[in-house]
Amino acid sequence: MDVRDNESAARYELETDQGLAVATYRMKGDVITFIHTEVPPEIRRRGIAARLIAGALEDVRARGLKFRTICPFVTTYVEHHPELRDLLAGGGT
């Protein structure tokens, strides 16, 4: 499963056999703000959202961007992965 940036829809996507998981965002300059993460109910609690956000943040790093988050899931994910904090815009969530 590969995470892809669907720029025209302003969201990262992860296609699974049972549906599409998405992380919506806003882009302003070189800062991406994660707004909401959504996983189909039938595949929640299987690590899909974590894979989605890991892939999205890998892309953020590869593109030399920074990020902010108003999405509770992304905030919690970064709290558990301190190695990603260098990507935070302004040094905080």
Side-chain angles (χ1 to χ4, degrees):
M1 291 186 274
D2 291 329
V3 174
R4 67 180 175 270
D5 182 8
N6 182 340
E7 291 183 41
S8 64
R11 67 187 192 187
Y12 281 93
E13 301 174 338
L14 179 60
E15 184 71 46
T16 74
D17 292 339
Q18 297 172 319
L20 185 67
V22 299
T24 58
Y25 65 80
R26 277 190 311 255
M27 184 69 112
K28 185 173 182 180
D30 65 348
V31 177
I32 187 168
T33 300
F34 288 95
I35 300 166
H36 181 69
T37 302
E38 183 76 29
V39 176
E42 57 274 7
I43 57 172
R44 289 185 184 154
R45 308 246 184 253
R46 296 186 189 173
I48 301 294
R51 279 189 256 162
L52 172 63
I53 297 307
L57 293 177
E58 184 177 299
D59 185 62
V60 167
R61 184 179 299 285
R63 293 169 56 190
L65 302 173
K66 295 289 185 178
F67 81 96
R68 290 189 174 100
T69 181
I70 57 175
C71 172
F73 182 84
V74 176
T75 300
T76 300
Y77 185 86
V78 173
E79 287 172 357
H80 289 95
H81 294 87
E83 70 276 9
L84 298 170
R85 292 185 186 149
D86 65 305
L87 296 175
L88 286 167
T93 58

